[in-house]
Amino acid sequence: MNDSPGCPLVGVAATYMPRLSEFSFEPGLVAAVDQHAAAVRDALIPAQRGPVDGPVDVLAAHRAVHRGDLSDYVLGFTDWLSEVDWVEPVGHDFATLRLTAVCWLIREHDLLGR
């Protein structure tokens, strides 16, 4: 499924995954991307699902990011970027940080490897 032509994660990963290599040179970037990743994760896994009691592996599964959910998020986000005629800057703005955070989530949850 990772080679699905309609999967927006493939294009985002191809474009923004290389930015993860900048982490070793810009410690502030790590913090900013971590905050954006947390915001995306919170959007995908709303608090109304409630707390889960149980072993750590049950907790991790409950808070896992799923490819379909992240794909939907990316489609909505990139549609919004198109509507506002966003142009990628040389540095880091809200959108590049958010898309880099999406790549971090793709990598951490192995969303293109399965």
Side-chain angles (χ1 to χ4, degrees):
M1 189 183 231
N2 62 350
D3 58 355
S4 170
C7 182
L9 300 183
V10 174
V12 168
T15 304
Y16 294 95
M17 194 70 77
R19 288 183 178 257
L20 297 179
S21 66
E22 297 173 26
F23 281 4
S24 58
F25 304 110
E26 296 186 47
L29 179 61
V30 175
V33 169
D34 183 57
Q35 289 178 339
H36 279 268
V40 171
R41 204 173 20 253
D42 288 348
L44 299 178
I45 307 167
Q48 70 246 25
R49 290 187 186 173
V52 174
D53 295 321
V56 175
D57 58 335
V58 172
L59 295 172
H62 179 71
R63 290 177 173 71
V65 174
H66 300 285
R67 181 179 22 223
D69 295 337
L70 190 57
S71 292
D72 290 346
Y73 178 88
V74 166
L75 284 174
F77 188 70
T78 55
D79 283 350
W80 173 76
L81 291 176
S82 293
E83 288 174 14
V84 298
D85 294 325
W86 176 75
V87 176
E88 183 178 353
V90 173
H92 303 284
D93 67 350
F94 178 88
T96 58
L97 289 171
R98 188 56 57 110
L99 293 167
T100 304
V102 165
C103 289
W104 186 85
L105 291 168
I106 290 169
R107 185 186 70 189
E108 292 303 305
H109 294 274
D110 192 25
L111 298 178
L112 294 180
R114 32 182 166 142

